[in-house]
Structure formats: structure tokens, C-alpha cells
Amino acid sequence: MRLLNPMNRLYTILIALLAAVLLPGAAFAAADAHESAEGGKLDPKEIIFEHLGDAYGWEVPFDHHHRIPLPIIVYGTDGFHCFSSSRISGGETYDDNGVLFRLAPFGSPHQGKVVEMVNGEEVRPIDISITKNVAALFVSVLLVAGIMLWLAAFHRRNRFKAPRKGLGAVEACVTFIYGGVIKPTLGPQAKRFAPYLMTVFFFILAMNLLGLIVVFPGGANLTGNIAVTLVLSIITFVCTNLFANKHYWKEIFWPDVPVWLKCPLPIMQLIEVFGMFTKPAALTVRLFANMMGGHMIVLTLTLLIFIFSAVSPYAGGGATVVSLLFSIFMLLIDVLVSFIQAYVFTMLSTLFIALAHEHEHEHEHNESAEAGSAAATTAK
């Protein structure tokens, strides 16, 4: 293995120092802001859920008091209203032609949401604002579309050449997912569903990786938002059931089991229909829980610095070193998890779609192969 040359060593040291400054620095800015807001009391739970949740602005690095404004679009009591989030981000009330809007304060039933003030009471309008998560979705879509168009343009110009460096890594992912997952599983149906499945893989991967970046355009915890993972799972559910063949529906409503399990009480039918909905539920929760857990661990490790510093300066110094090392380690693990979760979601989606296109003779062949394998195992 070659040793790093002096220039590469310098880059490695600079990156390590930058990480050492960025991670605690961002947390310190957040903690300092919360201590000021709470009168010197640090609330770790509030900090964690604020960073994991959605917002009407994008945080500025090292400055928790200011945000990049985003458009607020609401339908109130007298129609649509559109204004910048900077007008209400400081807790003030904004008067839009006689209609008052503000962010609901801490402790309100609509905490952190835009509300309309009607006779001194908070009324929640229909909110279709461009929040941080919505803007991050646009960024992810543009990023994935740009990279795929770049790869397609390269192959149009160079028909018999393979891309290198970053573009080569993208093509390696395309080949791995299509050649290793989609084509062997779906067979003749691979070209029909490959556009959706490839899009899902790169879209989830882009959202996961952008969520690990603490500065704009990253920092939005998209796959840690159960609404985002639910929509992706519903699309897979629709693709699975809308384009399913007759054998799939036969196995749902009249499965190959003893009649007394199907009639007069539809026991197996209820189990099969219930199983149709547990598949997208499993996809939703698996992606959401894994990505949410990774972000929460990193934030918790960083906040340990301030918790131990309140006990003793020496404890705070030790916690800083340990938390920083574990935070960097967890971020590296999260990069790996980002790829794994995108791959698992795509693989399971491919498997569910393939099961909906399985023909009866294939089903019988699989059952006979499983029976033969079980008999051979018993004989041994």
C-alpha cells in the first residue's frame, strides 16, 4: 500500500481539523441559542427535535438566530397569502392587508406552525408553504436528474468508453442495481420497472447523503421524515398492485390452502389482504427509523459536551474529545447506512413487484423445489 504524499497528508489533516471545528461549532451555536431562549437552561430534547423536524427557513451555519428565508403560502379566512418566512421568523406578527400571521409559540397546540390570528385566537390555515423539507426535495430531484443527464450525455458522446472518477462511480451503481437486483429478479419485466426502481435508489441515496451535510443545501432530514418514506412506499404499493397479474390476485382471494381456511370464514383472504398493507408499512418504518436513529445519535453525542460541561470543566473537556471521535465515527457509519438503506428499499420494492408478476407454473416450480430441498435436508 502506498504511503500518502505530503500534499495528501496535508489535505487529510485539514479535513480532520475542519470536521473537528464544524461538528461542535454547529452544536454550540444551537445550544447557545437555546440557552438564551430558555433563560440559561439547555433543553436537549427540544434541540434534537428542532433539528430533526421541518422548518420555514434554512439554518445559517454557526448562526442559529438567522435563517435563509423561504416562501410561506397559506390559504386563510379571506383567500391565499404569500410572504417571506423572514417576516415572522423572529416571533413577530406579520400584517398582510389586515390579516395577521405569526409562528405559533412554544406550548401552543400549533407550535412552530404558521397560524392566523382571528379575534386574538390562533387559527391554523391551509398551509402549502415551501418549507425546508420541500426545498430539499427539489434540490434532491435536481441533483439526481442532473447526474443522470450528465451520464447519458457522456455515453452519447463516447459510445465505447467508460466514464471515470465520480461519473464512473455512478455508472457502477447503475450496473450493480440493474444487473444485480432488478434484472435477475424481474426477468422480462425488468425494462418496464427499471426506470422507477433506479429512480428510487438514487433519490433515496441523494436524500440520505444530503441529510448528513450540515450546511446548505444539506441539513434536511428527509428520509427521517415518515411522510416522505410513506409516499415512496405508497408508490411501490401502487406499482405492485396496479400492474399485478391474475395469479397474484388469485393467491390473494383464493389461495392454494384447504377450503376450510377460505370458506365459510375468509381467514386466509383476510391474512393475505392484511399482508398487502404490511409490505409498504415495513418499507416506510425501516427507512424512517434507520435514518432518524443515525441523526439522533450524532446530535445526542454532540449535546453530551454541554451536559457534561455543566457538571465540571474537566468532564466537559473529556466529553468533547470522546463525543467528537464518536460523532465522526457515526457520520462515517451513516454514509454506509445511506447506501445500504437505498439498496434495501430498492431490493424489497423489486421483490414485491416480482411476486405480483409470478405465474402459476413458476409458483408450482418454486414450491416443488422448496419441497425437494426440505426432503433432502430431512434425509441427511
Side-chain angles (χ1 to χ4, degrees):
M1 185 176 66
R2 294 184 304 173
L3 295 175
L4 294 174
N5 59 43
M7 186 59 68
N8 287 340
R9 291 178 188 172
L10 178 61
Y11 289 152
T12 303
I13 294 172
L14 289 176
I15 291 172
L17 290 175
L18 184 62
V21 172
L22 279 176
L23 286 175
F28 179 79
D32 179 66
H34 279 271
E35 285 181 352
S36 301
E38 299 292 332
K41 183 181 179 181
L42 180 68
D43 188 351
K45 183 180 72 173
E46 187 68 21
I47 295 174
I48 290 173
F49 283 101
E50 180 180 348
H51 281 268
L52 294 178
D54 202 359
Y56 290 98
W58 220 307
E59 292 86 354
V60 177
F62 309 110
D63 188 355
H64 195 73
H65 299 282
H66 297 87
R67 295 172 180 255
I68 300 173
L70 294 171
I72 291 180
I73 307 170
V74 293
Y75 185 83
T77 54
D78 64 339
F80 280 101
H81 296 266
C82 182
F83 53 91
S84 172
S85 63
S86 62
R87 298 183 180 276
I88 59 173
S89 59
E92 63 272 11
T93 301
Y94 174 63
D95 187 346
D96 189 15
N97 296 324
V99 182
L100 300 179
F101 294 96
R102 71 169 183 175
L103 282 180
F106 180 78
S108 168
H110 310 295
Q111 176 183 337
K113 302 297 183 181
V114 175
V115 293
E116 181 181 349
M117 303 303 297
V118 179
N119 298 325
E121 296 184 358
E122 297 178 351
V123 177
R124 185 84 169 96
I126 298 175
D127 193 349
I128 55 173
S129 303
I130 308 297
T131 61
K132 182 176 70 172
N133 282 352
V134 175
L137 281 172
F138 293 154
V139 171
S140 300
V141 169
L142 293 175
L143 179 63
V144 173
I147 292 175
M148 293 300 106
L149 291 174
W150 183 23
L151 182 61
F154 175 88
H155 283 292
R156 281 197 300 268
R157 295 192 307 267
N158 308 279
R159 290 184 176 273
F160 302 104
K161 292 178 64 178
R164 302 177 64 182
K165 297 182 179 180
L167 202 58
V170 174
E171 183 171 6
C173 290
V174 172
T175 305
F176 173 69
I177 296 300
Y178 182 76
V181 177
I182 299 175
K183 192 173 181 180
T185 306
L186 288 176
Q189 299 287 337
K191 290 185 178 180
R192 184 182 183 187
F193 294 98
Y196 164 67
L197 295 169
M198 294 298 300
T199 302
V200 163
F201 173 79
F202 283 103
F203 185 51
I204 293 176
L205 180 60
M207 289 190 295
N208 290 346
L209 294 178
L210 283 175
L212 300 179
I213 303 173
V214 298
V215 296
F216 181 85
N221 184 29
L222 287 175
T223 45
N225 186 325
I226 198 167
V228 175
T229 60
L230 177 61
V231 170
L232 293 174
S233 301
I234 288 175
I235 297 174
T236 295
F237 175 79
V238 171
C239 290
T240 301
N241 295 280
L242 185 63
F243 303 105
N245 59 18
K246 295 180 180 179
H247 176 69
Y248 171 80
W249 292 112
K250 174 186 172 296
E251 288 297 316
I252 294 291
F253 294 107
W254 197 256
D256 189 14
V257 295
V259 177
W260 63 271
L261 290 174
K262 300 179 288 187
C263 183
L265 294 177
I267 299 174
M268 288 304 301
Q269 289 92 327
L270 291 175
I271 293 175
E272 293 291 340
V273 171
F274 181 73
M276 290 171 55
F277 294 96
T278 57
K279 292 174 183 176
L283 286 177
T284 300
V285 175
R286 178 182 287 106
L287 180 58
F288 160 74
N290 280 280
M291 300 312 301
M292 171 70 82
H295 286 272
M296 190 172 292
I297 290 173
V298 173
L299 286 170
T300 303
L301 287 171
T302 307
L303 287 172
L304 286 176
I305 300 172
F306 305 97
I307 295 173
F308 280 98
S309 296
V311 177
S312 167
Y314 298 103
T320 300
V321 176
V322 175
S323 296
L324 179 60
L325 292 176
F326 273 100
S327 295
I328 294 175
F329 174 73
M330 284 304 304
L331 284 173
L332 295 176
I333 294 296
D334 279 344
V335 173
L336 178 62
V337 171
S338 297
F339 282 90
I340 292 175
Q341 290 305 316
Y343 170 77
V344 169
F345 192 99
T346 307
M347 180 187 66
L348 291 177
S349 297
T350 306
L351 182 61
F352 295 156
I353 293 172
L355 291 175
H357 289 83
E358 188 179 29
H359 295 286
E360 189 169 2
H361 63 87
E362 295 175 351
H363 181 70
E364 293 173 354
H365 174 73
N366 292 338
E367 285 187 342
S368 61
E370 291 175 0
S373 176
T377 303
T378 303
K380 289 181 182 180

